[in-house]
Amino acid sequence: MASGRRRTVDEGTLHVTSVFQKTGDHAVLDHVADADEEVLVALGYKQEFKRDFSLLSTFSVSFSVLGLLPSIASTLSYNLAYSGPAGSVWGWVVAGVLIQFVALSMAEICSSMPTAGGLYYASAVLAPEGWGPLCSWITGWSNFLGQATGPCSVNYALSSMILTAVEIANPDYTAQTFHVYLLLLALLIFEGLLTMNSTKFIGRLNVAGTVANLVALLIFVIWMPVGSINTPKTNSNEFVWTEVINGTEWPSGFAFMMGFLSVIWTMSGYDAPFHLSEECSNANIASPRAIVLTAHTVQNIPDVVDGNYGQPMGSLCLQVLGPKAGLALFSINIIAQFFVGQGCTVASSRVVYAYSRDGALPGSRWLKKVNHRTHTPVNAVWFVLTLGALLGLLMFASPVAIGAVFSIGAIAQYIAFTLPIALKLFVVGDKFRPGPWHLGRFSKPVGFIACGYVLVMVPVLCFPAVKGADLNTLNMNYTCLIYGGVMSLALLWYAVDARKWFKGPRINVDHLIHTQVLDGQGSEVNQDEISFDKKE
């Protein structure tokens, strides 16, 4: 409702860090706004989405992206195959703790700059003078690439799970690669039809997904040891906590770190739509419990990792529970996995919308449109699903090639997470303006540990499991090629053309065009002092 009187919005009193700080400018409001809208306007953006996500539904999106048990099932072949049961358990303990440092540092930044494109917005604001657009460009493209692989990797795993269940139920059926791809396409389309609906519908759907994930985890934790058909039912504690089985040709310590991929990929959903990363902290407790239980119940690791069905979780359920009960538990996991894919589609579409709003992606004019009926970015939804379908074609090259989307997602996300953290530490320093939630005197040491951890892990995740004469085109790790190739093209585009017009986050609200000293938030301004950027 228009008030007829324009007033400035002082981001300082709202405890946010804004692009206006670099210009001495301030946003202007001409209507009564609630606290959420006022914060968004102070950051330079107008309110376009309906705020139908409650705290529960917002948390549910991030929880659905994490997936817990389904995410562990999708990546079981990495930690269990690389370093055995002890490597899997200790990998979750070590990597889970170190990832928490990344999450805490990112939460502090997100509290100060709560926008849909928070990571790349933060890089633009925190970068040295003149370097904001480039830092924003690198962060945005890395985050976009990580999010774009989500629907593909999750639904590829889901397709494999569904067809594995069919193989268990019907021993005469053998899944072919094109079967997996066609099912992947069907899942992407179905999730797209769901995600293009209203925010309220999506919120309710993800609450249902959270319930499904929690129920699946609870059933797994109880059913696996109780229903085991093996004698003894579980492995000894000594075997679980000390038995390291190196499934690579690298030293055991390096193989142990390679197994961190399962943890990093599972815990890469911290920036799911507009939430603080501490909402995900319980995953660092629940997920390791499931991993420990897996290590206690698995009897034959080679049979699980390289079994007839090609999907480790299916082989595990069959080995521990037998055909009927194993298929039942595996089917519950499949249902939970579907909600993970749907949550990833929501998160990735919002990232595409946020970057397109600032012209950072090809076709931004089309991608940034918000559907007038659902008030959601429908075009962005179908764009990320199309990318997922194209990435899925890698399965026809080799299992290792399609497996690279897991490594790419992990590396791309954590590079995007860490760049603004590094800028805050090494460029802004004590000048950083914290938001309502901050780490206080622990901010710097937590940030240093986060940056050091990611700096070590990024190269490790690019290594193949074999080396020397055993290395060939089928088992090579293509993460460097795909991630490096896309980022190189993005940087080339920036150097040749984008640097001429991309200036970082675009302000699309009324704002002052002359710096002036304000008495405080709510100062009235004259009409001729106001500018409005229309970047359509």
PDB file of all heavy atoms in Angstrom, residues 20 25 55 111 117 151 184 222 224 239 243 251 314 371 388 397 399 444 483 494 502 508-509:
ATOM      1  N   PHE A  20      25.226  -1.175  -1.410  1.00  0.00           N
ATOM      2  CA  PHE A  20      25.150   0.283  -1.259  1.00  0.00           C
ATOM      3  C   PHE A  20      26.327   0.834  -0.450  1.00  0.00           C
ATOM      4  O   PHE A  20      26.640   2.017  -0.536  1.00  0.00           O
ATOM      5  CB  PHE A  20      23.838   0.677  -0.576  1.00  0.00           C
ATOM      6  CG  PHE A  20      22.626   0.515  -1.450  1.00  0.00           C
ATOM      7  CD1 PHE A  20      21.507  -0.158  -0.990  1.00  0.00           C
ATOM      8  CD2 PHE A  20      22.604   1.044  -2.735  1.00  0.00           C
ATOM      9  CE1 PHE A  20      20.383  -0.307  -1.795  1.00  0.00           C
ATOM     10  CE2 PHE A  20      21.484   0.905  -3.540  1.00  0.00           C
ATOM     11  CZ  PHE A  20      20.376   0.225  -3.082  1.00  0.00           C
ATOM     12  N   ASP A  25      25.291   4.917  -1.191  1.00  0.00           N
ATOM     13  CA  ASP A  25      23.897   5.077  -1.589  1.00  0.00           C
ATOM     14  C   ASP A  25      22.985   4.381  -0.577  1.00  0.00           C
ATOM     15  O   ASP A  25      23.439   3.662   0.312  1.00  0.00           O
ATOM     16  CB  ASP A  25      23.710   4.443  -2.968  1.00  0.00           C
ATOM     17  CG  ASP A  25      22.667   5.161  -3.796  1.00  0.00           C
ATOM     18  OD1 ASP A  25      21.879   5.912  -3.209  1.00  0.00           O
ATOM     19  OD2 ASP A  25      22.648   4.957  -5.025  1.00  0.00           O
ATOM     20  N   LEU A  55       9.160 -21.310   8.624  1.00  0.00           N
ATOM     21  CA  LEU A  55      10.439 -21.827   9.107  1.00  0.00           C
ATOM     22  C   LEU A  55      10.531 -23.327   8.857  1.00  0.00           C
ATOM     23  O   LEU A  55      11.564 -23.841   8.425  1.00  0.00           O
ATOM     24  CB  LEU A  55      10.587 -21.527  10.606  1.00  0.00           C
ATOM     25  CG  LEU A  55      11.859 -22.073  11.283  1.00  0.00           C
ATOM     26  CD1 LEU A  55      13.097 -21.487  10.629  1.00  0.00           C
ATOM     27  CD2 LEU A  55      11.832 -21.772  12.776  1.00  0.00           C
ATOM     28  N   SER A 111      23.964 -14.462   7.267  1.00  0.00           N
ATOM     29  CA  SER A 111      23.225 -13.648   8.222  1.00  0.00           C
ATOM     30  C   SER A 111      23.406 -12.163   7.927  1.00  0.00           C
ATOM     31  O   SER A 111      22.509 -11.359   8.163  1.00  0.00           O
ATOM     32  CB  SER A 111      23.697 -13.958   9.646  1.00  0.00           C
ATOM     33  OG  SER A 111      23.039 -13.136  10.590  1.00  0.00           O
ATOM     34  N   GLY A 117      20.809 -14.952  -3.908  1.00  0.00           N
ATOM     35  CA  GLY A 117      22.130 -15.173  -4.493  1.00  0.00           C
ATOM     36  C   GLY A 117      23.227 -14.826  -3.515  1.00  0.00           C
ATOM     37  O   GLY A 117      24.234 -14.225  -3.889  1.00  0.00           O
ATOM     38  N   PRO A 151      20.276 -32.042  -9.723  1.00  0.00           N
ATOM     39  CA  PRO A 151      19.177 -32.859 -10.251  1.00  0.00           C
ATOM     40  C   PRO A 151      19.656 -34.062 -11.046  1.00  0.00           C
ATOM     41  O   PRO A 151      19.041 -35.132 -10.994  1.00  0.00           O
ATOM     42  CB  PRO A 151      18.410 -31.870 -11.142  1.00  0.00           C
ATOM     43  CG  PRO A 151      18.704 -30.525 -10.551  1.00  0.00           C
ATOM     44  CD  PRO A 151      20.122 -30.614 -10.080  1.00  0.00           C
ATOM     45  N   LEU A 184      15.663 -41.570 -15.993  1.00  0.00           N
ATOM     46  CA  LEU A 184      16.163 -40.278 -15.529  1.00  0.00           C
ATOM     47  C   LEU A 184      15.352 -39.139 -16.132  1.00  0.00           C
ATOM     48  O   LEU A 184      14.939 -38.203 -15.424  1.00  0.00           O
ATOM     49  CB  LEU A 184      17.646 -40.130 -15.901  1.00  0.00           C
ATOM     50  CG  LEU A 184      18.257 -38.724 -15.743  1.00  0.00           C
ATOM     51  CD1 LEU A 184      18.340 -38.331 -14.280  1.00  0.00           C
ATOM     52  CD2 LEU A 184      19.639 -38.670 -16.392  1.00  0.00           C
ATOM     53  N   ILE A 222      16.707 -49.214  12.809  1.00  0.00           N
ATOM     54  CA  ILE A 222      16.124 -50.300  13.616  1.00  0.00           C
ATOM     55  C   ILE A 222      16.147 -51.628  12.869  1.00  0.00           C
ATOM     56  O   ILE A 222      16.533 -52.670  13.413  1.00  0.00           O
ATOM     57  CB  ILE A 222      14.679 -49.936  14.020  1.00  0.00           C
ATOM     58  CG1 ILE A 222      14.663 -48.700  14.922  1.00  0.00           C
ATOM     59  CG2 ILE A 222      14.005 -51.120  14.721  1.00  0.00           C
ATOM     60  CD1 ILE A 222      13.275 -48.172  15.228  1.00  0.00           C
ATOM     61  N   MET A 224      17.860 -52.798  10.110  1.00  0.00           N
ATOM     62  CA  MET A 224      19.082 -53.448   9.617  1.00  0.00           C
ATOM     63  C   MET A 224      19.699 -54.403  10.636  1.00  0.00           C
ATOM     64  O   MET A 224      19.984 -55.555  10.301  1.00  0.00           O
ATOM     65  CB  MET A 224      20.091 -52.384   9.186  1.00  0.00           C
ATOM     66  CG  MET A 224      19.773 -51.736   7.850  1.00  0.00           C
ATOM     67  SD  MET A 224      19.931 -52.868   6.451  1.00  0.00           S
ATOM     68  CE  MET A 224      21.682 -52.764   6.123  1.00  0.00           C
ATOM     69  N   PHE A 239      36.267 -54.541  14.128  1.00  0.00           N
ATOM     70  CA  PHE A 239      36.235 -54.532  12.664  1.00  0.00           C
ATOM     71  C   PHE A 239      35.726 -53.198  12.127  1.00  0.00           C
ATOM     72  O   PHE A 239      36.296 -52.622  11.205  1.00  0.00           O
ATOM     73  CB  PHE A 239      35.329 -55.666  12.175  1.00  0.00           C
ATOM     74  CG  PHE A 239      35.150 -55.696  10.675  1.00  0.00           C
ATOM     75  CD1 PHE A 239      36.096 -56.294   9.863  1.00  0.00           C
ATOM     76  CD2 PHE A 239      34.022 -55.122  10.075  1.00  0.00           C
ATOM     77  CE1 PHE A 239      35.926 -56.323   8.474  1.00  0.00           C
ATOM     78  CE2 PHE A 239      33.850 -55.142   8.710  1.00  0.00           C
ATOM     79  CZ  PHE A 239      34.810 -55.744   7.904  1.00  0.00           C
ATOM     80  N   GLU A 243      39.184 -51.624  10.807  1.00  0.00           N
ATOM     81  CA  GLU A 243      39.457 -52.340   9.563  1.00  0.00           C
ATOM     82  C   GLU A 243      39.440 -51.376   8.366  1.00  0.00           C
ATOM     83  O   GLU A 243      38.377 -51.009   7.857  1.00  0.00           O
ATOM     84  CB  GLU A 243      38.430 -53.454   9.351  1.00  0.00           C
ATOM     85  CG  GLU A 243      38.747 -54.370   8.187  1.00  0.00           C
ATOM     86  CD  GLU A 243      39.965 -55.249   8.442  1.00  0.00           C
ATOM     87  OE1 GLU A 243      40.315 -55.458   9.631  1.00  0.00           O
ATOM     88  OE2 GLU A 243      40.557 -55.731   7.465  1.00  0.00           O
ATOM     89  N   PRO A 251      48.212 -44.529  -1.322  1.00  0.00           N
ATOM     90  CA  PRO A 251      48.402 -44.855   0.093  1.00  0.00           C
ATOM     91  C   PRO A 251      47.094 -44.780   0.866  1.00  0.00           C
ATOM     92  O   PRO A 251      46.173 -44.043   0.492  1.00  0.00           O
ATOM     93  CB  PRO A 251      49.397 -43.777   0.562  1.00  0.00           C
ATOM     94  CG  PRO A 251      50.132 -43.372  -0.670  1.00  0.00           C
ATOM     95  CD  PRO A 251      49.132 -43.480  -1.783  1.00  0.00           C
ATOM     96  N   GLY A 314      21.392 -51.320  -2.707  1.00  0.00           N
ATOM     97  CA  GLY A 314      20.533 -52.460  -3.001  1.00  0.00           C
ATOM     98  C   GLY A 314      21.213 -53.766  -2.633  1.00  0.00           C
ATOM     99  O   GLY A 314      20.600 -54.666  -2.040  1.00  0.00           O
ATOM    100  N   ASN A 371       6.716 -16.515 -12.920  1.00  0.00           N
ATOM    101  CA  ASN A 371       5.383 -16.823 -13.417  1.00  0.00           C
ATOM    102  C   ASN A 371       4.332 -16.015 -12.650  1.00  0.00           C
ATOM    103  O   ASN A 371       4.328 -16.009 -11.416  1.00  0.00           O
ATOM    104  CB  ASN A 371       5.114 -18.322 -13.280  1.00  0.00           C
ATOM    105  CG  ASN A 371       3.788 -18.751 -13.889  1.00  0.00           C
ATOM    106  OD1 ASN A 371       2.741 -18.643 -13.255  1.00  0.00           O
ATOM    107  ND2 ASN A 371       3.836 -19.214 -15.127  1.00  0.00           N
ATOM    108  N   GLY A 388      20.310 -31.051 -16.532  1.00  0.00           N
ATOM    109  CA  GLY A 388      20.413 -32.373 -15.923  1.00  0.00           C
ATOM    110  C   GLY A 388      20.298 -33.480 -16.949  1.00  0.00           C
ATOM    111  O   GLY A 388      21.028 -34.476 -16.895  1.00  0.00           O
ATOM    112  N   ALA A 397      29.113 -42.746 -21.740  1.00  0.00           N
ATOM    113  CA  ALA A 397      30.571 -42.787 -21.877  1.00  0.00           C
ATOM    114  C   ALA A 397      31.150 -43.874 -20.976  1.00  0.00           C
ATOM    115  O   ALA A 397      31.840 -44.778 -21.445  1.00  0.00           O
ATOM    116  CB  ALA A 397      31.176 -41.427 -21.547  1.00  0.00           C
ATOM    117  N   PRO A 399      30.652 -45.482 -16.458  1.00  0.00           N
ATOM    118  CA  PRO A 399      30.173 -45.204 -15.098  1.00  0.00           C
ATOM    119  C   PRO A 399      31.025 -44.161 -14.383  1.00  0.00           C
ATOM    120  O   PRO A 399      30.512 -43.393 -13.570  1.00  0.00           O
ATOM    121  CB  PRO A 399      30.280 -46.575 -14.412  1.00  0.00           C
ATOM    122  CG  PRO A 399      30.213 -47.573 -15.525  1.00  0.00           C
ATOM    123  CD  PRO A 399      30.902 -46.921 -16.682  1.00  0.00           C
ATOM    124  N   LYS A 444      37.468 -15.600  12.887  1.00  0.00           N
ATOM    125  CA  LYS A 444      38.700 -15.783  12.116  1.00  0.00           C
ATOM    126  C   LYS A 444      39.255 -17.203  12.188  1.00  0.00           C
ATOM    127  O   LYS A 444      39.536 -17.805  11.150  1.00  0.00           O
ATOM    128  CB  LYS A 444      39.752 -14.766  12.555  1.00  0.00           C
ATOM    129  CG  LYS A 444      39.465 -13.348  12.084  1.00  0.00           C
ATOM    130  CD  LYS A 444      40.603 -12.411  12.427  1.00  0.00           C
ATOM    131  CE  LYS A 444      40.314 -11.002  11.884  1.00  0.00           C
ATOM    132  NZ  LYS A 444      41.420 -10.069  12.205  1.00  0.00           N
ATOM    133  N   TYR A 483      34.648 -29.658 -14.813  1.00  0.00           N
ATOM    134  CA  TYR A 483      34.564 -28.429 -14.011  1.00  0.00           C
ATOM    135  C   TYR A 483      35.508 -27.359 -14.553  1.00  0.00           C
ATOM    136  O   TYR A 483      35.117 -26.201 -14.742  1.00  0.00           O
ATOM    137  CB  TYR A 483      34.898 -28.727 -12.547  1.00  0.00           C
ATOM    138  CG  TYR A 483      34.903 -27.473 -11.684  1.00  0.00           C
ATOM    139  CD1 TYR A 483      33.703 -26.896 -11.275  1.00  0.00           C
ATOM    140  CD2 TYR A 483      36.096 -26.870 -11.286  1.00  0.00           C
ATOM    141  CE1 TYR A 483      33.694 -25.733 -10.499  1.00  0.00           C
ATOM    142  CE2 TYR A 483      36.092 -25.720 -10.516  1.00  0.00           C
ATOM    143  CZ  TYR A 483      34.900 -25.158 -10.119  1.00  0.00           C
ATOM    144  OH  TYR A 483      34.894 -24.010  -9.369  1.00  0.00           O
ATOM    145  N   TYR A 494      33.937 -13.861 -19.707  1.00  0.00           N
ATOM    146  CA  TYR A 494      34.091 -12.636 -18.919  1.00  0.00           C
ATOM    147  C   TYR A 494      35.183 -11.745 -19.508  1.00  0.00           C
ATOM    148  O   TYR A 494      35.008 -10.526 -19.629  1.00  0.00           O
ATOM    149  CB  TYR A 494      34.437 -12.981 -17.467  1.00  0.00           C
ATOM    150  CG  TYR A 494      34.561 -11.766 -16.577  1.00  0.00           C
ATOM    151  CD1 TYR A 494      33.442 -11.215 -15.968  1.00  0.00           C
ATOM    152  CD2 TYR A 494      35.798 -11.161 -16.354  1.00  0.00           C
ATOM    153  CE1 TYR A 494      33.536 -10.098 -15.158  1.00  0.00           C
ATOM    154  CE2 TYR A 494      35.909 -10.032 -15.546  1.00  0.00           C
ATOM    155  CZ  TYR A 494      34.780  -9.504 -14.963  1.00  0.00           C
ATOM    156  OH  TYR A 494      34.882  -8.387 -14.170  1.00  0.00           O
ATOM    157  N   PHE A 502      28.986  -6.676 -17.118  1.00  0.00           N
ATOM    158  CA  PHE A 502      28.633  -7.288 -15.835  1.00  0.00           C
ATOM    159  C   PHE A 502      29.318  -6.527 -14.703  1.00  0.00           C
ATOM    160  O   PHE A 502      30.554  -6.495 -14.619  1.00  0.00           O
ATOM    161  CB  PHE A 502      29.035  -8.759 -15.795  1.00  0.00           C
ATOM    162  CG  PHE A 502      28.670  -9.440 -14.501  1.00  0.00           C
ATOM    163  CD1 PHE A 502      27.350  -9.789 -14.232  1.00  0.00           C
ATOM    164  CD2 PHE A 502      29.632  -9.708 -13.542  1.00  0.00           C
ATOM    165  CE1 PHE A 502      27.009 -10.412 -13.037  1.00  0.00           C
ATOM    166  CE2 PHE A 502      29.305 -10.326 -12.350  1.00  0.00           C
ATOM    167  CZ  PHE A 502      27.995 -10.673 -12.098  1.00  0.00           C
ATOM    168  N   ASN A 508      17.602  -3.220  -8.258  1.00  0.00           N
ATOM    169  CA  ASN A 508      16.345  -3.043  -8.989  1.00  0.00           C
ATOM    170  C   ASN A 508      15.265  -2.400  -8.116  1.00  0.00           C
ATOM    171  O   ASN A 508      14.082  -2.645  -8.288  1.00  0.00           O
ATOM    172  CB  ASN A 508      15.855  -4.367  -9.583  1.00  0.00           C
ATOM    173  CG  ASN A 508      15.431  -5.379  -8.528  1.00  0.00           C
ATOM    174  OD1 ASN A 508      15.585  -5.132  -7.332  1.00  0.00           O
ATOM    175  ND2 ASN A 508      14.898  -6.502  -8.969  1.00  0.00           N
ATOM    176  N   VAL A 509      15.719  -1.565  -7.156  1.00  0.00           N
ATOM    177  CA  VAL A 509      14.781  -0.821  -6.314  1.00  0.00           C
ATOM    178  C   VAL A 509      15.094   0.662  -6.418  1.00  0.00           C
ATOM    179  O   VAL A 509      16.175   1.071  -6.858  1.00  0.00           O
ATOM    180  CB  VAL A 509      14.882  -1.258  -4.826  1.00  0.00           C
ATOM    181  CG1 VAL A 509      14.467  -2.703  -4.672  1.00  0.00           C
ATOM    182  CG2 VAL A 509      16.281  -1.033  -4.289  1.00  0.00           C
TER     183      VAL A 509
END
